[in-house]
Amino acid sequence: MSWMEERFPGIGHAAKEIAEHKVPSHTLNPIYCLGGLTLIAFLVQVLTGIFLAVYYKPTVAEAYASVQMITYEVRFGAIVRSLHHWAANLMIVLCFLHMLRVYYTGAFKKPRELNWVAGCFLLLLSMGLAFTGYLLPYEQLSYWASVIGAETAGSLPVIGPDLKIMMQGGIKVTGEMLSRFYVLHLMVLPAITILFMVAHFIMIRVQGISDPM
């Protein structure tokens, strides 16, 4: 830290302060680890997603074939794909359980209201990542699940019809839906999620961990 501080004044001091920050004893309870476990699941998603993106081809003609190639031909492809799949499910479950803990321990109250709002957005973003990623294998199950999702979005009042067309890339489901979900899943939603995570962790660092009930 002294070496860093000498070359980049302020950075080494800040890193040392974070490293030496004391954690309240009541957080030894496993239910206070759910947020950190959600972060780990997200990091697994990022690492395995980069691996999958190297081989995946986001076109109607090649999407399914590329997923089959990853599963059966690429070395460790089946393991990485399984990790990506289960980490996605685990991330949503852990995020939901984390929010239940925050709610039932009253940790959403003043002065942590904005942190609660950020957490709600993170849950929605996690579900959005799962929904957009579900279409990418482009098999019968994922295709029709995405069609149902678009129909559900289309039933919303006022914005529903336009939202459905935006998701599908037209009146009917076409290859545009696959390309749009691919961009959302790999670029847009992860970037927004990371921004909300950074804001979430900064607020936790500033306000501290809430006291037990």
Side-chain angles (χ1 to χ4, degrees):
M1 293 304 173
S2 300
W3 187 89
M4 289 290 293
E5 181 68 23
E6 186 178 350
R7 287 153 182 79
F8 305 100
I11 293 180
H13 176 73
K16 185 177 181 181
E17 184 182 353
I18 292 171
E20 293 179 349
H21 181 70
K22 293 183 178 180
V23 179
S25 59
H26 68 271
T27 58
L28 294 174
N29 190 318
I31 67 170
Y32 283 88
C33 300
L34 295 169
L37 291 172
T38 306
L39 173 62
I40 292 173
F42 178 73
L43 294 176
V44 171
Q45 288 281 87
V46 171
L47 294 174
T48 55
I50 292 171
F51 177 92
L52 296 173
V54 171
Y55 297 97
Y56 181 74
K57 298 177 182 178
T59 63
V60 173
E62 297 179 298
Y64 180 75
S66 66
V67 171
Q68 294 300 300
M69 182 193 72
I70 291 170
T71 306
Y72 298 109
E73 297 179 27
V74 177
R75 184 174 295 180
F76 304 117
I79 295 174
V80 174
R81 187 186 171 204
S82 296
L83 282 171
H84 194 77
H85 170 79
W86 289 109
N89 289 283
L90 193 61
M91 179 179 171
I92 293 177
V93 171
L94 288 169
C95 185
F96 184 72
L97 291 175
H98 174 58
M99 294 188 73
L100 282 179
R101 196 279 300 169
V102 171
Y103 180 78
Y104 283 111
T105 57
F108 62 92
K109 298 178 181 179
K110 184 180 178 180
R112 298 179 175 86
E113 305 98 315
L114 288 178
N115 214 357
W116 170 257
V117 172
C120 291
F121 275 108
L122 284 169
L123 176 61
L124 292 175
L125 288 165
S126 299
M127 295 173 68
L129 283 165
F131 177 64
T132 53
Y134 198 75
L135 175 65
L136 299 187
Y138 217 66
E139 56 192 4
Q140 285 290 326
L141 183 62
S142 61
Y143 174 84
W144 289 110
S146 299
V147 170
I148 293 171
E151 292 291 340
T152 304
S155 65
L156 293 172
V158 184
I159 63 171
D162 292 331
L163 183 61
K164 177 183 174 182
I165 292 174
M166 188 182 301
M167 290 173 63
Q168 295 181 164
I171 298 176
K172 297 181 179 180
V173 175
T174 63
E176 287 291 326
M177 189 174 187
L178 177 62
S179 60
R180 292 183 183 201
F181 275 36
Y182 179 75
V183 172
L184 284 170
H185 188 72
L186 263 75
M187 302 177 191
V188 180
L189 292 178
I192 298 173
T193 301
I194 290 171
L195 288 175
F196 271 94
M197 279 187 171
V198 170
H200 196 57
F201 295 139
I202 289 175
M203 284 187 279
I204 293 173
R205 181 68 180 83
V206 172
Q207 297 169 343
I209 299 174
S210 61
D211 295 325
M213 294 181 67

